[in-house]
């Protein structure tokens, strides 16, 4: 999935839906986890950098960092030092 498709798919999952409760980072993590579970993000797929994804979604970098960290802790994502963040 290319960057533009990823951004569109995340937005379509209600990231900015004001009626949804919970922190923004958790909604972002849920959207990314859903993409992985549905097979739209395949194992080994590279995710955008924190900075790029934050800019594209118009959210804070800490929001993306925290969402990525939650997914790293659950084993959904893996971080490769110097290479980026990838789907496990």
């Amino acid at each position: 999935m290319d960057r533009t498709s990823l951004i569109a798919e995340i937005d379509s999952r209600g990231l900015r839906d004001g009626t949804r409760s919970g922190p923004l980072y958790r909604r972002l993590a849920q959207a990314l986890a859903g993409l992985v579970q549905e097979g739209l993000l395949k194992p080994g797929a590279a995710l955008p950098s924190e900075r790029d994804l934050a800019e594209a979604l118009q959210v804070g970098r800490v929001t993306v960092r925290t969402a990525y960290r939650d997914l790293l802790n659950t084993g959904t994502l893996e971080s490769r030092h110097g290479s980026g963040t990838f789907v496990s």
Side-chain angles (χ1 to χ4, degrees):
M1 174 177 287
D2 66 21
R3 181 178 179 268
T4 304
S5 299
L6 176 64
I7 303 309
E9 192 62 39
I10 290 170
D11 276 337
S12 75
R13 292 172 183 258
L15 182 65
R16 299 187 191 287
D17 185 354
T19 62
R20 296 182 72 183
S21 63
L24 187 58
Y25 79 86
R26 190 165 295 142
R27 287 184 272 163
L28 175 57
Q30 289 170 344
L32 289 168
L35 292 171
V36 171
Q37 290 168 352
E38 294 166 21
L40 296 173
L41 281 175
K42 307 269 187 228
L47 294 178
S49 69
E50 292 172 2
R51 181 175 294 150
D52 287 347
L53 188 57
E55 184 179 303
L57 294 173
Q58 297 180 343
V59 299
R61 189 171 172 192
V62 172
T63 299
V64 176
R65 180 180 303 131
T66 306
Y68 277 10
R69 185 178 57 225
D70 280 5
L71 295 170
L72 287 165
N73 289 338
T74 63
T76 304
L77 300 181
E78 62 184 43
S79 179
R80 300 180 195 156
H81 185 71
S83 296
T85 305
F86 299 84
V87 177
S88 293

